[in-house]
Every structure is written in structure tokens, then in C-alpha cells.
Amino acid sequence: MEHGSEQLHRLAEGEALDRAGYLEMIRNRENLREEAASLACAVRRRFYGDRIYIRGLIEFTNYCRNNCYYCGIRGGNPHADRYRLTEEEILSCTDAGWELGFRTFVLQGGEDPFYTAEKLATIVRGIKERHPDCAVTLSFGEHSRQDYALWREAGADRYLLRHESINPVHYASLHPEGMSHENRLRCLRDLKELGYQVGAGFMVGSPGQTEEDLAEELCFLRDFRPEMVGIGPFVPHKDTVYAEEPAGTSELTTFLLSLIRLTLPSVLLPATTALGTIDPEGREKGILAGANVLMPNLSPVNVREKYLLYDHKICTGEEAARCIACLKERIRITGCEIVTDRGDHRASE
Ligand code: SAM
Ligand code: FES
């Protein structure tokens, strides 16, 4: 029997694994990947059938007060061409998205102080008034518990905040001194307590990340039990400290997607744009490894090229309608089907 195969089956049967168990599987991933993907898809099918949920991503600002060392829109990048969407532009993106069948809108942006807590609350209320049947997800970084509470009261349903690394030393190597690992985790706890469906996550292959770190990541997810997990490969950006670092791989990312699906059977798990960027069939491979969410871009085409977290990002020139048609075809080939309901998290335990 392959090393790690026993652990893989124990995990698929619902047993909690320890760090050593995850590490053994990660180390022997080449031999386990097919089995892991097939077990993961079977588990996903149990909760969600072959349905793949779509979220309309609106990248509403690329201004950012932070300076994450890996990120193309970090505040200190003088070459980033900055933009902000107005409230009207954001609302009209959601109107267009609604017509295309989207029932979840994800408002993502750099940490831009221009959008005060009140301003963002007004935008959330505006979306909920026009589209009461839709879920609103925010992905706007670290804020106070009070601000998160305000947005929750305004109607926000979900919040995506990747913790980036569970290892504090590794976290510190990816972020400048002003950013704290502790505060990132405080945010995730606050969001959970406030009743958001919460998404944690990390980049795969970020500079300095070890296999041991990845095993720790899986233990953290096992214990924190977020409703969503966002993982995608690290992809270098030319204007960052890590411009020369190698990108994460599609193989490792998809294997981890399978392990996450097995660890958190009913998790909402996107096959990300970054995965589609490093591998032309990355998103399909993500779905075939156990993912069940896609996040096509609804931002106006004229700003798409400015929200560049990393180099060579795909779909920056496509109209949303064309992206959706393309994704539908890609997903049909995997044997799954894109559906348009809100796709809320289903409690598994
Ligand atoms: N400001 C918000 C935050 O910090 O959560 C949302 C925007 S932030 C740009 C969204 C995510 O992009 C980050 O959590 C990070 O994991 C990812 N990201 C940033 N730079 C990246 C890169 N070079 N390669 C891959 N993903 C990257
Ligand atoms: Fe904006 Fe990291 S650079 S949050």
C-alpha cells in the first residue's frame, strides 16, 4: 500500500487526522492524487451533487493601505494604475450580474480607506434592496469588529479573508511589520461570531512555505471549520519583492483542494482564477479535484486590467457574459453543471 493511502481513506471516512498524517499524504502526493480526487468528488457529490456555484466578483477598488510583499496592488507599488468604482457603478455591475443569473456578489478590494464603514454599509444595503434574493460576500481585508458588525447588519452574508499563513514566522516573511498574524486571526474569529459564513485560506507555494506548513494549514482548517476555503497558487508579480520567485503548481493546489474537501466535506471551495492562470485547464482540474465554486469577474472591462494581484491574470479582457459562456462549456466537460442559486453552505455535521 502507498504511503499515505491509509490516511487518505481514514480521512474520507470522516476520521480527524493529525499533522503527521497530512504530512505523509502531502509528501506522497504524486502517487495519491488520483485516488484523493476521486474520493473528494464522491464526498462533494454527497452534499452538492454535480452542482457548481458561481459568484460574481466585483473588484471595486485597487487602492490599498497595506503592503503585502507578494501583492501587485500593494500600496507601495507606484506602477499600479489606481481606480475606484462608484456606488452607482457597483450597483450596475450587480444588475448586469443578476440578469446573467448570478445570485451571489463578492465585493473585493484592497483596504481602501475611501470606503468608510458607513459608505460600504450603504452599498451593501443598496444591493440587498435591489436584489433581496442574492447573497452579498465581502472581501475587504482587516477591520474592527464594530465595522464587521455594521456590514452584517446592513445585510452582508459572507466574508472572505484568507489568513495567508498559519505559521506566524512564515506570515511575517510575507507581510511588513505593521501587519499582524494575530489581528488576521482575530478578524476571522470576530466574523464567525457575528454570524458571517466565513472563508479562510492561503496561497499555495508562497515564498518560504514548506510541506510542514501545509500540513499545519490543514490542521487549522480542520479545527476552525470555515464555511468556505480560498486557496490558489502564488503567482509572482513583477513589481513586488517576490517577483523572481517561482509560482505555485497546479498539481499541489489540486491535491490540497482534494484534502480540504475530505477534511471539510460540505465546504464551499472555489477553483480560483489564479489556478486558471498558471494552468490553462486549472479551473477544470480544480473541479475534478473536489472544488465546487467558480468566481467569474463582473467588474467593468475597463478596470479589469488594473486589478492585477499577479502577472498574466486571465479573463481581463472578457465581458462577463462571455466568461460565463466559456465557463459553462468548460464545466460541462467535467460532467458537472453550473447552477445559479445562492449556494449557501450546507451543514454537514
Ligand atoms: N484586501 C483584501 C484582503 O486582504 O483579503 C482582499 C484583496 S486581496 C488582494 C485577495 C487575495 O489575493 C489575498 O488574500 C491573497 O491571498 C491573494 N493574492 C495577492 N497577491 C497574490 C499573488 N501574487 N498570487 C496569488 N494570490 C495573490
Ligand atoms: Fe492590500 Fe495586502 S497589499 S491587503
Side-chain angles (χ1 to χ4, degrees), residues 35-341:
E35 202 176 4
S38 113
L39 290 167
C41 285
V43 166
R44 180 192 63 206
R45 226 167 271 131
R46 240 177 39 225
F47 288 93
Y48 297 103
D50 285 323
R51 290 186 291 277
I52 304 300
Y53 299 100
I54 48 170
R55 319 306 196 189
L57 182 63
I58 303 171
E59 297 157 336
F60 66 100
T61 173
N62 72 351
Y63 283 85
C64 191
R65 64 181 171 195
N66 290 331
N67 253 308
C68 305
Y69 293 143
Y70 46 82
C71 183
I73 65 165
R74 69 197 170 81
N77 179 7
H79 306 296
D81 186 2
R82 306 284 170 179
Y83 73 92
R84 294 186 172 108
L85 299 185
T86 63
E87 183 180 343
E88 290 67 36
E89 285 172 319
I90 295 172
L91 291 175
S92 88
C93 284
T94 63
D95 293 347
W98 197 90
E99 290 297 330
L100 289 168
F102 287 92
R103 295 296 177 267
T104 293
F105 300 111
V106 182
L107 263 52
Q108 187 179 91
E111 288 186 20
D112 179 359
F114 171 85
Y115 297 90
T116 58
E118 245 332 306
K119 233 181 233 166
L120 191 56
T122 306
I123 294 170
V124 172
R125 272 186 227 108
I127 299 174
K128 283 293 198 173
E129 272 164 28
R130 288 153 91 114
H131 304 295
D133 55 341
C134 292
V136 172
T137 305
L138 297 177
S139 173
F140 191 46
E142 297 176 30
H143 295 274
S144 66
R145 184 182 175 105
Q146 206 183 347
D147 290 357
Y148 289 149
L150 181 70
W151 300 330
R152 180 84 186 110
E153 281 155 28
D157 304 276
R158 309 177 185 148
Y159 204 104
L160 304 178
L161 184 76
R162 291 184 176 179
H163 57 282
E164 313 296 2
S165 175
I166 199 59
N167 170 349
V169 177
H170 181 228
Y171 181 93
S173 73
L174 297 174
H175 301 94
E177 240 172 70
M179 292 183 73
S180 103
H181 184 249
E182 206 179 306
N183 192 49
R184 198 98 184 153
L185 297 181
R186 186 274 304 161
C187 290
L188 281 175
R189 281 191 301 271
D190 278 349
L191 290 161
K192 212 174 202 200
E193 284 168 19
L194 290 164
Y196 284 92
Q197 292 177 41
V198 174
F202 54 89
M203 294 178 292
V204 177
S206 59
Q209 183 182 64
T210 62
E211 290 179 339
E212 287 76 7
D213 289 333
L214 289 172
E216 284 293 348
E217 293 297 354
L218 293 163
C219 293
F220 168 70
L221 295 174
R222 176 200 65 199
D223 298 339
F224 184 68
R225 310 199 76 70
E227 283 80 14
M228 306 168 284
V229 174
I231 65 161
F234 158 76
V235 187
H237 184 287
K238 59 181 176 9
D239 301 323
T240 62
V241 177
Y242 292 128
E244 302 302 327
E245 292 291 322
T249 65
S250 162
E251 286 69 29
L252 183 53
T253 307
T254 51
F255 184 67
L256 291 170
L257 284 170
S258 298
L259 295 190
I260 293 169
R261 166 65 61 206
L262 294 172
T263 303
L264 301 171
S266 65
V267 74
L268 289 159
L269 192 60
T272 58
T273 304
L275 184 55
T277 295
I278 56 153
D279 180 338
E281 286 172 8
R283 286 169 301 175
E284 294 90 317
K285 289 180 185 168
I287 298 293
L288 289 169
N292 66 339
V293 172
L294 291 166
M295 296 172 67
N297 205 321
L298 282 184
S299 313
V301 174
N302 66 320
V303 301
R304 297 261 186 104
E305 290 215 343
K306 301 180 184 174
Y307 197 84
L308 290 185
L309 310 179
Y310 45 80
D311 294 334
H312 314 299
K313 186 178 171 195
I314 52 167
C315 305
T316 53
E318 302 298 337
E319 286 293 345
R322 282 192 49 176
C323 275
I324 269 293
C326 158
L327 282 176
K328 276 194 178 148
E329 183 51 22
R330 286 169 179 266
I331 296 313
R332 196 185 59 73
I333 293 167
T334 66
C336 292
E337 180 200 8
I338 288 185
V339 294
T340 56
D341 59 276

